[in-house]
Amino acid sequence: GAVVSQHPSWVICKSGTSVKIECRSLDFQATTMFWYRQFPKQSLMLMATSNEGSKATYEQGVEKDKFLINHASLTLSTLTVTSAHPEDSSFYICSASGDRGLYTEAFFGQGTRLTVV
Amino acid sequence: GESVGLHLPTLSVQEGDNSIINCAYSNSASDYFIWYKQESGKGPQFIIDIRSNMDKRQGQRVTVLLNKTVKHLSLQIAATQPGDSAVYFCAENSGGYQKVTFGIGTKLQVIP
């Protein structure tokens, strides 16, 4: 299967600072990437859909000015958590899909554990 | 819709037994379903998928059953092994687009 890599795997930052998380598709071109957030013992909740070269589409209730998404190339999407607060501490996961036809699964990164102190 | 903040249900099975994990989906327009396995601290890993024009699909040691009438999906794992211990999520999407909605998830604990 295709490989999606996230960096960093974990990060600790101070409240009020910004953190950037990268999501890379290593062996295919990802026309679409998705960003999810997962709190402990809960399911993955979709935050936004990122299309290469265009603005991201955010799910209801997700602040686009707080969670900045950039998808500048077919292999890289970034999520920046701006002015992070402790309640933003979570597991952030990206997935990527390429032009591989309909009804194919998206491939997930290994996730990034963000802790805001 | 989004998954709410519920704690994950847990299924405990004896090693070697078969496991059945159930999932109810909400969108009758969903036409593609996937089961994912998530180990602690890792991203979801694809297990098996099924399209809505099928009611059963088999993989290696896993079988997915789909009942569209009652919007129910199940994952059967044969001869469950300790390495199968993880959280299992069903996911649905519609229109052949890879945007998926995840179910609540079930934690599978395998007792040696």
Side-chain angles (χ1 to χ4, degrees):
Chain A
V3 179
V4 175
S5 177
Q6 274 183 250
H7 179 79
S9 297
W10 59 271
V11 57
I12 302 172
C13 71
K14 291 184 178 181
S15 185
T17 62
S18 296
V19 174
K20 180 184 286 187
I21 302 170
E22 294 184 347
C23 179
R24 294 182 183 272
S25 57
L26 298 186
D27 52 1
F28 69 103
Q29 293 186 323
T31 52
T32 306
M33 289 184 172
F34 305 90
W35 287 96
Y36 294 82
R37 179 169 50 183
Q38 184 179 32
F39 293 107
K41 297 186 179 181
Q42 295 187 23
S43 187
L44 284 76
M45 295 177 64
L46 181 66
M47 300 174 66
T49 301
S50 168
N51 292 298
E52 186 267 336
S54 63
K55 290 184 178 180
T57 302
Y58 290 82
E59 295 299 301
Q60 190 173 11
V62 178
E63 301 175 59
K64 62 180 181 180
D65 294 330
K66 180 169 183 61
F67 299 99
L68 301 178
I69 291 172
N70 183 283
H71 193 160
S73 77
L74 286 171
T75 59
L76 175 65
S77 176
T78 60
L79 168 68
T80 302
V81 183
T82 63
S83 187
H85 289 99
E87 57 265 32
D88 298 323
S89 297
S90 188
F91 194 50
Y92 291 87
I93 307 170
C94 72
S95 71
S97 66
D99 185 17
R100 298 171 64 241
L102 300 178
Y103 305 109
T104 56
E105 76 277 14
F107 297 95
F108 286 82
Q110 74 273 30
T112 297
R113 172 77 58 195
L114 170 63
T115 303
V116 185
V117 297
Chain B
E2 293 183 343
S3 296
V4 297
L6 301 174
H7 289 293
L8 298 170
T10 300
L11 173 67
S12 296
V13 298
Q14 205 72 36
E15 181 179 356
D17 288 350
N18 296 333
S19 303
I20 299 176
I21 300 171
N22 296 303
C23 175
Y25 63 94
S26 56
N27 188 354
S28 58
S30 293
D31 56 5
Y32 179 54
F33 305 89
I34 315 107
W35 279 100
Y36 287 97
K37 172 186 181 182
Q38 186 180 30
E39 297 175 326
S40 181
K42 297 183 179 180
Q45 176 186 358
F46 172 87
I47 301 174
I48 191 168
D49 58 0
I50 188 169
R51 289 182 59 180
S52 60
N53 61 352
M54 304 170 68
D55 54 19
K56 181 180 180 178
R57 191 169 187 214
Q58 287 185 295
Q60 186 177 12
R61 275 203 311 123
V62 294
T63 301
V64 55
L65 300 178
L66 173 63
N67 185 330
K68 295 181 289 294
T69 302
V70 294
K71 291 188 286 187
H72 183 269
L73 200 65
S74 70
L75 175 70
Q76 300 178 3
I77 304 174
T80 312
Q81 303 169 0
D84 295 327
S85 294
V87 177
Y88 290 81
F89 293 97
C90 66
E92 58 182 298
N93 76 358
S94 59
Y97 185 48
Q98 285 86 359
K99 172 182 176 179
V100 296
T101 301
F102 281 79
I104 293 175
T106 298
K107 182 177 181 179
L108 176 65
Q109 289 183 330
V110 181
I111 304 167

